[in-house]
Amino acid sequence: MGILGIVLLVFFVIVAVLLILLVLAQNEEGDSLGGIFAGGSGSAFGSRSGNVLTKATTVLGALFLVISLGLALINRTPAGSGVESAGRQLAPESAVEWWQQDTAPAENPVPEAITPSDPAPEIAE
């Protein structure tokens, strides 16, 4: 993983904990997103003024996304060494796909339609 991966992982954990604490510390009466579209002011999504907690939450949320993307890019597996290549190593060399296998003809073919030699007797009413 390297030094950069470890540093990013430490920052990721710190940012995640701070983000959780900031979200829990915010009051419930705030009109974030306009009180879920109920509208707390004349604008479409509530008032535009935010306090320090909402701005810090926005910054920490952006940092969380950027750091998680960085961790994903650093820790990705090299091309060809994933699940698909492991499955190909386990598969036998003579494996044939199921749609390319020759199927043997059935030993007992489906019999032709049976027609009665004598017509059914008519029922008198």
Side-chain angles (χ1 to χ4, degrees), residues 13-35:
V13 170
I14 291 171
V15 167
V17 169
L18 286 175
L19 187 62
I20 291 170
L21 291 176
L22 273 178
V23 168
L24 290 175
Q26 291 179 13
N27 60 359
E28 297 177 7
E29 64 189 38
D31 284 334
S32 62
L33 232 61

Side-chain angles (χ1 to χ4, degrees), residues 1 71-86 89:
M1 177 152 60
L71 280 172
L73 289 175
I74 287 175
N75 293 323
R76 71 174 188 252
T77 57
S81 65
V83 174
E84 184 179 354
S85 66
Q89 289 175 355

Side-chain angles (χ1 to χ4, degrees), residues 35 52 55 58 66 72 88-89 93 107 119:
V52 176
K55 290 181 182 180
T58 303
V66 169
R88 289 183 186 203
Q89 289 175 355
E93 294 296 324
E107 294 177 12

